[in-house]
Amino acid sequence: MAFEEAKIRFKGSISPVITPFEEDESIDFKLFKRLIDWHIESGSHGISVTGTSGEPSSLTIEERELVMETAMKTVDGRVPFLPGTGSVNHRETLRLTKAAQEMGADGAMVIVPYYNKPNQQALYNHFKTVAKSVDIPIILYNIPGRTAVNLEVDTIARLAEDCPNIIGIKESNKDFEHVNRVLLKCGRDFNLYSGIELLCYPMLAIGGAGHISATANVAPRQVAEIYNAWAEGDVTRAQHMHFAMMPLNDVLFRDTNPAPVKAALGMMGKIKPVLRKPMELPSKEIQQEIRETLMQYALVL
């Protein structure tokens, strides 16, 4: 796929699908396939797996490859497939990104390495090496709250200029000035995706390409509708959806993602609410708050 074509195709709500587990914490591939079908049938414009919501740090590298392969076969070209291939480990990131290309993924989303806190030159070298190792589109993933380091605007701009296949970035950055400057420095055709739920609509307003929202795991139709309304020029409907989704967005982040999301999906009968340690479900009090909120959206009875 030509990179300019990918910029056009990779728009809308790209759902970051969770990894469902059995009670023994093995991967439940049957439910995983069912979830992907549900997302696509609900109007999601793309599918991503093994990003933050997919608990990648709790999976072995072999499990990550198997999850990616299973997802790609299930998507079967119906929408763009952009697996998360980033890791704290540079060599693992190279291996997973190359695997994404070899299995036929439409692109790859690569997170800033977490825990290590590389400086900006080190981040530039890391991402450039990864991008140059493949011929598929790359979406950078900046989430300073989880990685402890911010991918600065100048570094993003250097990467966009030096690596033609780096076509966009998922910004889970609450600094709205930062994301504005990303488009200013990288060009308005650089694909900017919101990874912050309350910024999904605002980022569209400044020229964003869409969003990769954890909330889509619970309400894929509604999250996709925010983009659809905006794309159709119905600003009032987009604004309405933005505010209508705020209570659900808030409750799904009362604990660390994806714990509240998995609790919600368990209540909805979509999965067994199991996380791999060290992650655990939220407290009973938060779970009750989640259930009451899901009832308001008619997502549970």
Side-chain angles (χ1 to χ4, degrees), residues 251 254 260 263-264 267 282-296 300-301:
V251 80
R254 292 275 278 111
M267 295 172 195
S283 67
K284 291 182 179 179
E285 291 77 14
I286 292 177
Q287 289 193 51
Q288 181 59 32
E289 186 179 351
I290 292 169
R291 181 176 292 278
E292 291 171 358
T293 305
L294 293 177
M295 291 174 67
Q296 294 172 22
V300 298
L301 298 177

Side-chain angles (χ1 to χ4, degrees), residues 216-228:
N217 277 290
V218 174
R221 179 184 59 78
Q222 294 91 327
V223 174
E225 183 61 20
I226 295 173
Y227 177 83
N228 291 339

